[in-house]
Amino acid sequence: MTSMAVVIDGDRTLPEGYQHPHASQEARRIAEQGLVLRAQVGSGVHGTSISTQDDRDEMGICLEPPALVTGLARVPAGTGAQSRTVPFEQYERHTAWDRTGGTANRSGAGDLDVIIYSARKWARLALDGNPTVLLLLFVPDAEVVFRDEAGAELVDHADRFVSAQAAARFLGYLRAQQAAMTGQAGAHTNRPELVAAHGYDTKYAMHALRLGVQGVELLTTGRITLPVPEPDRAYLRSVRRGDVPLEEVLARIADAEDQLSTLATTTTVPTHPDRAWVDGWLHRTHLAYWDRLSA
């Protein structure tokens, strides 16, 4: 276990609800009230943002009220949904939706993309080695928006979620980013201006290589360092700017794939995550939360 994480009594407030299946006002209320952890997880925390091009990506975890865990309660499928309902798994909101065009809008500079997962969904994804959700356990304090005692306990026990299973997940995400950056069959890019300027989508390329760097570190040390350490950070930024030829980028991605494939069978991190500890955390933190709700 690493040094003790501190409680950060920051902002719980989330953007107002929207006509999106995971953005009802009820889902927002659940996410705000049960919040245990919220932090920046995008390019800003990786150290790979350039100039003022990036939006702000945040992720969080919340506990659910008892009716959603032990009963069959559901939440509206967005504002104005009337009788349409969905199970509560997350509150997802992009401020870019507020502009003309709604959910079709791409997020850009100054926009906030935030997703607050139910603790149970987040834990399932993290135990499976999902690179995006695991990242939340390694965000430095300066980038944490909110963290209570339960969230701090999760961070203190990040090692419980790390296992060799992450190798396959990092490989899968890396390959998806590579496919998108080169426009392979079945993939697409939503940044054609980057392809026109550089011959490939430089942001997807940067993320593919970042996943390689972070996956290798996780499977070697059991942790992810944020922001990405030098000299890798400077190289990722050069890829993002389009300064690196496509042939070199593809060669570096192939090397990262080889390293991850090797680590899948040679890593010294546990073969499986500690599901029993995670089950225990989910059980007692929900019970403690429900006691506070009924007090």
Side-chain angles (χ1 to χ4, degrees), residues 1 8 50 92 97 107 112 114 116 126 136 141 152 163 170 174 194 216 223 225 241 255 263 265 268-269 274 281:
M1 190 169 71
I8 297 175
I50 53 176
E92 181 176 354
W97 296 347
S107 295
L112 170 65
V114 59
I116 308 296
L136 193 56
D141 288 354
S163 76
F170 273 85
L174 180 153
L194 295 180
V216 168
R223 297 194 61 81
T225 303
R241 290 192 300 267
D255 181 61
L263 284 166
T265 56
T268 57
V269 302
D274 191 343
W281 181 89

Side-chain angles (χ1 to χ4, degrees), residues 1 4 18 44 61 63 73 104 131 140 144 149 161 181 184 196 216 218 228 233 238 242 264 268 281 284 291:
M1 190 169 71
M4 299 294 288
Y18 192 83
I61 304 169
L63 300 171
V144 174
E149 291 84 356
F161 294 87
M181 84 179 225
Q184 294 178 23
V216 168
L218 182 71
V228 176
R233 191 193 324 167
S238 68
T268 57
W281 181 89
R284 54 192 165 75
D291 283 343

